[in-house]
Amino acid sequence: MLVDRLGRVPVAAGAAVALLGAGVTAAVAPADSLPVLVLALVLLGLGWNLGLVSGTALVVDSTTPAQRSRVQGNLDVLVALSGASAGVMSGVVVATTSYPALGLGSGLLVVCLVPVLLWWRLERPRTRSR
């Protein structure tokens, strides 16, 4: 409902903000502060879900009905593999550096989403008119 009401790109931007907040919160959380770590995980879940739903809606908007199921299936597999790989890599990052480094690194990765959203916002109206 949020994606339909607010739009795909604004919800994706909200996902980026929530994920950045999760990374920063995790990075600055004292190791013995359960409430702050829970907040970081809630922001992570919120950002993940906002991103997944808005991304799926963007894929639906960008594909023809004939392509949609194949593209969506491929993306679902890619998301699952990415999530599993990220889970393994997060353990490696924490083992070799620290939990705050994982949080800051994750937050920096989210910042990479901003140019993609800006590009989408600027390019999309032109491609619709073709």
Side-chain angles (χ1 to χ4, degrees), residues 14-66:
V17 169
L19 290 169
L20 180 60
V24 170
T25 302
V28 300
D32 61 346
S33 177
L34 183 61
V36 178
L37 291 174
V38 167
L39 174 62
L41 291 174
V42 167
L43 288 171
L44 177 64
L46 177 67
W48 174 268
N49 285 295
L50 289 174
L52 187 63
V53 172
S54 61
T56 300
L58 287 168
V59 168
V60 168
D61 292 348
S62 301
T63 55
T64 65

Side-chain angles (χ1 to χ4, degrees), residues 1 14 44 56 71 87-88 96 116 120 123:
M1 291 181 346
L44 177 64
T56 300
V71 171
V88 170
T96 58
V116 173
W120 181 270
E123 283 294 315

Side-chain angles (χ1 to χ4, degrees), residues 23-127:
V24 170
T25 302
V28 300
D32 61 346
S33 177
L34 183 61
V36 178
L37 291 174
V38 167
L39 174 62
L41 291 174
V42 167
L43 288 171
L44 177 64
L46 177 67
W48 174 268
N49 285 295
L50 289 174
L52 187 63
V53 172
S54 61
T56 300
L58 287 168
V59 168
V60 168
D61 292 348
S62 301
T63 55
T64 65
Q67 301 171 314
R68 198 163 291 143
S69 61
R70 182 182 48 80
V71 171
Q72 188 63 48
N74 288 336
L75 285 175
D76 286 347
V77 169
L78 183 62
V79 166
L81 291 173
S82 297
S85 299
V88 170
M89 290 308 299
S90 67
V92 172
V93 170
V94 170
T96 58
T97 59
S98 66
Y99 190 73
L102 174 66
L104 288 177
S106 300
L108 288 175
L109 283 175
V110 171
V111 172
C112 295
L113 180 61
V114 174
V116 173
L117 290 173
L118 291 174
W119 171 81
W120 181 270
R121 185 67 129 183
L122 296 173
E123 283 294 315
R124 197 67 186 148
R126 282 189 235 149
T127 58

